[in-house]
């Protein structure tokens, strides 16, 4: 992952389109590209089989949230730390980790929703 100056995002939040998200991931988290492609194929198959765009919409929202987090190194590091704690922790420690993970994801989803509303 490239570094940012003074805690600034590595890149601006891209629009929630397949091409923009793919390009963003290739810049900030290239190791995630195989998962992006695999999950895109699955979402496209599900959409075709059900004649429904919901799987593709979920895919785009999920990866827009991923990019929102990964483009901010401090936030991505916090998330990884809390995920590690949740995996290895017990009791109150694991519950706190789950709460913090939820807080980070909720904020990222809210930011994605706000961008979507602003684009309308």
């Amino acid at each position: 992952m490239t570094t940012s100056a003074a805690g600034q995002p590595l890149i601006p939040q891209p629009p929630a389109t397949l091409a923009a998200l793919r390009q963003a991931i290739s810049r900030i988290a290239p190791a995630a590209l195989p998962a992006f492609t695999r999950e895109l194929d699955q979402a496209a198959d599900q959409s075709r089989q059900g004649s429904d765009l919901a799987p593709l919409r979920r895919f785009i929202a999920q990866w827009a949230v991923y990019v929102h987090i990964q483009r901010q190194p401090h936030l991505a590091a916090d998330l990884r730390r809390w995920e590690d704690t949740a995996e290895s922790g017990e009791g109150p420690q694991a519950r706190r980790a789950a709460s913090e993970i939820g807080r980070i994801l909720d904020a990222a989803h809210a930011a994605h929703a706000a961008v979507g509303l602003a684009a309308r």
Side-chain angles (χ1 to χ4, degrees):
M1 186 182 303
T2 46
T3 58
S4 67
Q8 295 299 311
L10 298 172
I11 61 171
Q13 181 69 27
T17 66
L18 293 174
L21 292 172
R22 181 181 284 119
Q23 182 180 19
I25 292 164
S26 71
R27 289 186 60 202
I28 62 173
L33 277 174
F36 178 90
T37 302
R38 182 178 58 255
E39 291 177 21
L40 173 56
D41 290 345
Q42 292 170 348
D45 287 346
Q46 291 171 352
S47 288
R48 275 190 298 273
Q49 290 170 359
S51 297
D52 182 10
L53 292 177
L56 282 172
R57 287 188 185 117
R58 280 191 299 274
F59 169 84
I60 289 171
Q62 171 191 332
W63 283 93
V65 165
Y66 177 84
V67 167
H68 175 81
I69 293 168
Q70 295 303 314
R71 69 190 189 91
Q72 301 174 75
H74 68 283
L75 189 57
D78 286 349
L79 180 60
R80 278 191 301 278
R81 229 179 351 269
W82 287 118
E83 287 171 336
D84 291 344
T85 300
E87 281 184 29
S88 63
E90 293 181 14
Q93 188 179 25
R95 283 191 293 280
R96 170 129 192 259
S99 175
E100 291 298 324
I101 291 167
R103 182 187 57 76
I104 291 168
L105 293 175
D106 286 348
H109 279 281
H112 169 65
V115 169
L117 290 175
R120 289 183 184 169

